[in-house]
Amino acid sequence: MTEYRFTVPTLETSRLLLRDWREDDLDGLTEICADENHTRYIGGAMPRYDVWRMICQRIGQWAIRGYAMFALEEKETGAFAGYCGPHFPFGWPEPEIGWTLHPAHQGKGYATEAARASLKFAYEVLGWETAMSLIDKDNLASRGVAQRLGATYESTQEVTSFTADLYRHLPPSQFLQ
């Protein structure tokens, strides 16, 4: 049997903690994933048992790849706010920076704040030389986050079971200035 030992770092922004997943994140993530309208850009609503699998997949990706999306926690309240970070599931064209916020935490700039910290982590700690984000063509909010980070539209991609626009982030030499 293979024994996995890994440490998930905690990143801190002015308002958020980007941290490891915990069992008590299940309720907040289930709220995100149960809403058909909210999940229309990320594969649709899913039942609680699939949400549990999603959390386990994130933890497993830390063990296998050495990175994964972080759970987002609002520092002021301790509330689960969503998830964000480096992501590279099977079938993706390359690693990406992705984000999704709980509806109660949208419109506060949290996605941009968390994605900026995640991109910095990918470049400085993981050594990425490039990064992208896959965004549904109709997801104006996520497109806005990518553009605020300096990303530009590059192409439309067929990825596993969906089509998405690939936004290319600034390279480390420009982003980290």
Side-chain angles (χ1 to χ4, degrees), residues 5 19 33 37 44 47 55 60 71 85 89 93 98 106-107 116 137 142 153 158 163 170:
R5 294 186 186 274
R19 58 161 175 78
C33 294
N37 186 49
I55 290 173
Q106 293 178 337
R116 182 172 282 114
K137 68 178 177 56
S142 279
Y153 170 83
E158 294 288 329
T163 301
L170 294 171

Side-chain angles (χ1 to χ4, degrees), residues 112-147:
T112 303
E113 187 174 321
R116 182 172 282 114
S118 296
L119 195 52
K120 184 174 189 258
F121 173 78
Y123 288 155
E124 291 183 341
V125 177
L126 300 177
W128 290 11
E129 293 296 320
T130 187
M132 62 91 182
S133 292
L134 294 171
I135 301 172
D136 184 284
K137 68 178 177 56
D138 295 324
N139 190 340
L140 301 179
S142 279
R143 198 166 57 193
V145 170
Q147 290 169 340

Side-chain angles (χ1 to χ4, degrees), residues 39-104:
T39 59
R40 68 187 178 277
Y41 302 127
I42 57 171
M46 65 177 73
R48 187 175 179 87
Y49 61 83
D50 282 339
V51 175
W52 174 254
R53 289 180 185 157
M54 180 190 289
I55 290 173
C56 293
Q57 180 270 343
R58 301 278 194 253
I59 295 168
Q61 193 172 14
W62 276 106
I64 293 169
R65 296 202 189 269
Y67 62 85
M69 290 200 191
F70 296 93
L72 301 180
E73 180 179 314
E74 191 177 48
K75 284 168 55 172
E76 185 177 315
T77 65
F80 176 80
Y83 56 89
C84 180
H87 183 58
F88 192 21
F90 180 80
W92 253 231
E94 62 185 274
E96 80 162 320
I97 299 296
W99 52 84
T100 297
L101 290 182
H102 188 284

Side-chain angles (χ1 to χ4, degrees), residues 17-31:
L17 294 177
L18 286 72
R19 58 161 175 78
D20 196 3
W21 290 87
R22 300 187 307 233
E23 191 168 348
D24 64 356
D25 294 328
L26 181 60
D27 290 338
L29 188 55
T30 298
E31 289 172 9

